[in-house]
């Protein structure tokens, strides 16, 4: 679960960083007008509500009242709430507010440990029993939350309970135990329900799906098989299937519907007892799905945006969070970090793109969750095309690459980020060109510029200049000048969205290679592009 540490001003930054040191994957979100943090926001209420909706744990370094008021309108659905805590700016008080079922008290204790203060735990069951009965540990699932709440209320009112089944985490809980009690905590994979029981299912059932057809409702088949044996769907630990079904859509849908991991094996991971397509195996203790067969590997190509964390999409951020292996050119990998100890980082030279793409497929074929990072958008002069080239060329000799789950997550490209800073120079038809002749002949570049010039398109130039390509930029501009007046507005964006950001607006007549480098985006206007005050724009109409 991603964690957001939210601060309103610089006074809280010290405490925020101390908490972050304990949770390295967390990010500090700061109010843009007052403090510079990892991620900037403008409106506290809207930002916190967005985080809440995305399911992120929220650690807000401000008064509890501010947080409560901000989230008041989202509190109807108790089942899905993430942990929310208010923490005093100076770290002297920790108040868990919401998310009892998602471990807010555990989180509060951990933060308390980091800040050396006792958290203000207010959950009565937890205070009395030293454990939250309704938040069992990993490997177990609570059957019915409403029933659970009634059960805990009964215990708090003085009732006693038995424990049926194996619940090692309750061994040291201060429960009012009594072997003859009417109430029972029951640890069982069976789908049982009665008003005297708090039912907790160990995730100890494996399902093996032997055959799958195209329009198969696999989830329904699994539910029916479980039902036949009286087993609860929540007791399911994983779906397993032959590796040939790795790319099967019905199987993926079923795993999502049943909310369990999907694992692939060459042979059934247990002795089969059922010939009807779904075989079940019930173990005595929870099953760690990660120890069975292997997962379908994923390869996700993401764009980080131009540099600033706030211009990275939430989808890219969540892919980074889930990744086991991260591949990319050093600068971009740095931009994407920091990484956790369990994440492997593979840094490569900027020019070894195809090699990097092949390596990514190899890792993903082993079942790993791999991401390849690009700056801006991964599909614009970047890794997404390299990854598809590698697949195109390698899929025959490496058939296992075809089963990798490939995804491409878009990002804010440098031309768009630069345009937004300058106004709206791309407000009408435009084209995007790379001036690098590493992978295409210079003659093609000149021809394309000439055609774009003739078509009166706004032109966004990537890769304008490098040490290895010293003369090309001036040649390109000479071609542009054949089609454009010398007072045509030109936008030069350097390091946009990064600390050294610099934006200049000049006229085409002034443009020369000394003004640009590899970190510059050049946007040359059309005949319609104009300047208004500090802004550059291309109107939506044409005459
Ligand atoms: N995939 C990237 C582009 C990679 S090509 C994207 O979509 O943005 C690299 C070129 O992009 C650089 O030579 C430069 O022209 C431009 N560029 C990338 N990031 C930039 C930034 N932050 N500011 C200005 N130009 C940038």
């Amino acid at each position: 679960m991603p964690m957001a540490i939210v601060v309103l001003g610089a006074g809280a930054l010290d405490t925020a960083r101390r908490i972050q040191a304990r949770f390295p994957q967390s990010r500090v979100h700061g109010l843009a007008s007052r403090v510079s943090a990892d991620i900037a926001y403008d409106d506290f209420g809207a930002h916190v509500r967005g985080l809440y909706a995305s399911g992120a744990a929220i650690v807000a370094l401000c008064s509890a009242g501010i947080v409560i008021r901000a989230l008041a309108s989202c509190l109807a659905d108790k089942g899905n709430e993430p942990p929310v805590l208010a923490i005093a700016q100076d770290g002297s008080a920790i108040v868990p507010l919401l998310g009892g079922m998602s471990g807010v008290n555990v989180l509060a204790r951990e933060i308390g440990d980091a800040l050396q203060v006792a958290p203000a735990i207010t959950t009565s069951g937890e205070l009395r029993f030293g454990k939250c009965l309704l938040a069992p540990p990993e490997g177990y699932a609570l059957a019915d939350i409403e029933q659970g709440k009634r059960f805990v209320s009964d215990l708090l009112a003085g009732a006693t309970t038995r424990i049926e089944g194996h619940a090692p985490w309750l061994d040291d809980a201060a429960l009012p135990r009594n072997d003859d009690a009417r109430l029972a905590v029951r640890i069982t994979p069976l789908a049982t329900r009665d008003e005297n029981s708090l039912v907790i299912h160990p995730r100890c059932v494996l399902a093996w799906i032997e055959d799958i057809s195209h329009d198969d409702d696999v989830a329904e088949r699994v539910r029916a098989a479980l039902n036949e044996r009286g087993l609860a769907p929540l007791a399911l630990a994983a779906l397993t299937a032959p590796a040939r079904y790795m790319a099967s859509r019905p199987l993926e849908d079923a795993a999502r519907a049943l909310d369990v991991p999907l694992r692939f094996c060459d042979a059934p991971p247990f002795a089969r007892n059922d010939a009807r397509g779904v075989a079940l195996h019930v173990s005595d203790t929870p099953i760690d799905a990660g120890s069975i067969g292997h997962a379908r590997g994923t390869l996700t190509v993401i764009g980080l945006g131009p540099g600033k964390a706030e211009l990275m999409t939430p989808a890219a951020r969540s892919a980074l969070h889930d990744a086991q292996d991260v591949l990319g050119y050093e600068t971009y990998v740095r931009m994407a970090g920091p990484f956790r100890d369990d994440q492997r980082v593979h840094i490569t030279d900027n020019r070894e793109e195809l090699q990097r793409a092949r390596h990514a497929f190899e890792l993903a074929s082993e079942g790993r969750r791999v991401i390849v990072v690009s700056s801006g958008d991964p599909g614009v002069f970047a890794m997404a095309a390299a990854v598809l080239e590698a697949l195109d060329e390698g899929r025959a000799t490496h058939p296992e690459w075809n089963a990798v789950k490939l995804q491409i997550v878009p990002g804010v490209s440098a031309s768009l980020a630069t345009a937004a800073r300058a106004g709206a120079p791309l407000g009408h038809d435009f084209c995007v060109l790379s001036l690098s002749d590493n992978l295409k002949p210079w003659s093609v570049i000149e021809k394309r510029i000439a055609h774009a010039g003739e078509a009166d398109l706004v032109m966004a130039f990537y890769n304008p200049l490098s040490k290895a390509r010293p003369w090309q930029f001036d040649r390109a501009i000479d071609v542009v000048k054949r089609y454009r007046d010398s007072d045509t507005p030109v936008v030069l964006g350097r390091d946009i969205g990064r600390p050294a950001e610099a934006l200049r607006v000049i006229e085409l007549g002034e443009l020369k290679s000394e003004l640009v480098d590899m970190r510059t985006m050049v946007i040359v206007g059309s005949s319609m592009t104009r300047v208004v005050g500090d802004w550059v724009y291309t109107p939506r109409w044409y005459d």
Side-chain angles (χ1 to χ4, degrees):
M1 184 191 311
M3 186 205 262
I5 304 168
V6 188
V7 302
L8 282 161
L13 214 46
D14 198 38
T15 307
R17 296 294 183 204
R18 280 167 69 202
I19 299 171
Q20 189 179 34
R22 174 66 69 104
F23 303 92
Q25 73 277 34
S26 63
R27 292 283 183 280
V28 178
H29 300 230
L31 184 61
S33 56
R34 296 222 211 118
V35 57
S36 157
D38 306 335
I39 293 174
Y41 65 84
D42 293 319
D43 177 331
F44 178 82
H47 190 66
V48 168
R49 282 188 290 278
L51 289 168
Y52 184 87
S54 76
I58 300 170
V59 177
L61 274 70
C62 59
S63 82
I66 295 180
V67 188
I68 291 167
R69 237 169 262 121
L71 290 177
S73 61
C74 339
L75 300 183
D77 182 9
K78 182 162 182 192
N80 292 329
E81 71 194 15
V84 179
L85 301 98
I87 296 189
Q89 277 209 22
D90 61 1
S92 61
I94 300 169
V95 189
L97 293 172
L98 299 165
M101 305 303 138
S102 44
V104 73
N105 290 329
V106 175
L107 195 57
R109 289 210 165 90
E110 220 174 318
I111 296 174
D113 190 48
L115 300 180
Q116 295 293 299
V117 283
I121 305 280
T122 56
T123 320
S124 15
E126 172 138 357
L127 285 173
R128 178 87 71 85
F129 312 130
K131 278 276 153 59
C132 179
L133 277 180
L134 304 184
E138 204 170 317
Y140 296 86
L142 181 69
D144 179 345
I145 180 104
E146 290 310 319
Q147 163 67 4
K149 283 193 269 184
R150 284 194 295 274
F151 188 94
V152 172
S153 300
D154 285 352
L155 290 191
L156 289 169
T160 56
T161 183
R162 295 171 283 135
I163 294 187
E164 272 179 29
H166 188 52
W169 75 95
L170 292 181
D171 286 351
D172 60 350
L175 285 175
R177 292 192 198 212
N178 171 358
D179 288 345
D180 302 321
R182 175 179 57 90
L183 300 184
V185 177
R186 298 177 62 195
I187 317 298
T188 172
L190 296 175
T192 165
R193 191 167 289 205
D194 70 75
E195 60 179 33
N196 292 327
S197 303
L198 175 77
V199 178
I200 293 173
H201 299 302
R203 294 194 174 271
C204 63
V205 179
L206 281 185
W208 167 259
I209 326 283
E210 180 79 39
D211 288 300
I212 299 162
S213 61
H214 275 312
D215 53 354
D216 213 344
D217 190 340
V218 178
E220 213 29 65
R221 276 207 282 146
V222 173
R223 281 197 194 100
L226 289 166
N227 192 30
E228 207 167 281
R229 301 210 13 209
L231 294 164
L234 280 174
L236 199 60
L239 293 186
T240 61
R244 66 175 182 281
Y245 289 124
M246 205 170 262
S248 156
R249 189 60 195 270
L251 196 55
E252 196 181 323
D253 290 347
R256 193 176 311 114
L258 295 162
D259 197 18
V260 290
L262 194 49
R263 307 290 299 182
F264 297 92
C265 315
D266 297 328
F270 51 84
R272 305 216 15 209
N273 52 7
D274 188 321
R276 292 184 34 233
V278 178
L280 296 176
H281 169 75
V282 184
S283 149
D284 292 338
T285 49
I287 293 170
D288 171 15
S291 67
I292 295 158
H294 52 97
R296 179 184 186 192
T298 64
L299 171 46
T300 309
V301 192
I302 67 165
L304 301 172
K308 231 184 192 164
E310 74 188 278
L311 291 182
M312 191 193 299
T313 65
R317 189 175 301 289
S318 116
L320 275 172
H321 185 266
D322 291 343
Q324 294 174 309
D325 292 87
V326 182
L327 285 80
Y329 172 54
E330 185 171 4
T331 314
Y332 305 145
V333 170
R334 280 237 179 82
M335 234 160 91
F339 296 102
R340 300 185 300 271
D341 291 345
D342 62 309
Q343 295 181 304
R344 295 203 304 223
V345 173
H346 311 259
I347 287 174
T348 47
D349 189 275
N350 204 12
R351 272 179 270 256
E352 296 166 6
E353 283 149 346
L354 211 52
Q355 186 49 36
R356 186 188 306 155
R358 291 190 197 106
H359 187 196
F361 272 111
E362 276 156 21
L363 290 167
S365 313
E366 290 165 15
R368 300 187 62 83
R369 289 189 301 277
V370 180
I371 60 166
V372 172
V373 297
S374 281
S375 76
D377 178 89
V380 178
F381 311 122
M383 284 307 297
V387 162
L388 290 170
E389 283 167 39
L391 180 64
D392 202 357
E393 172 198 280
R395 66 189 308 183
T397 42
H398 303 275
E400 70 280 10
W401 291 9
N402 295 303
V404 165
K405 184 172 184 179
L406 179 62
Q407 267 183 303
I408 296 166
V409 176
V412 177
S413 192
S415 55
L416 306 182
T418 303
R421 286 283 185 266
L426 308 180
H428 203 96
D429 301 343
F430 68 96
C431 67
V432 160
L433 294 152
S434 167
L435 293 189
S436 168
D437 57 356
N438 288 342
L439 297 169
K440 65 183 165 186
W442 179 254
S443 59
V444 169
I445 298 176
E446 277 199 13
K447 190 162 151 192
R448 288 185 179 174
I449 297 172
H451 284 305
E454 180 155 2
D456 200 18
L457 294 169
V458 173
M459 291 177 234
F461 293 125
Y462 287 75
N463 299 314
L465 193 87
S466 77
K467 284 201 187 79
R469 300 182 282 108
W471 53 264
Q472 283 89 333
F473 185 74
D474 285 325
R475 281 281 288 278
I477 297 313
D478 285 343
V479 179
V480 174
K481 283 179 179 161
R482 281 190 233 140
Y483 301 91
R484 292 283 196 287
D485 294 339
S486 64
D487 63 353
T488 303
V490 171
V491 176
L492 302 178
R494 185 168 192 273
D495 280 336
I496 294 299
R498 300 178 189 167
E501 169 170 321
L503 186 81
R504 290 182 69 177
V505 177
I506 59 170
E507 291 186 352
L508 181 59
E510 304 168 72
L511 183 56
K512 52 179 190 277
S513 58
E514 287 74 36
L515 299 178
V516 305
D517 62 9
M518 265 313 266
R519 285 149 67 180
T520 311
M521 181 75 229
V522 181
I523 300 177
V524 177
S526 71
S527 65
M528 301 295 290
T529 305
R530 60 201 62 207
V531 173
V532 50
D534 289 336
W535 300 103
V536 179
Y537 79 103
T538 306
R540 295 161 301 142
W541 41 268
Y542 204 83
D543 61 17

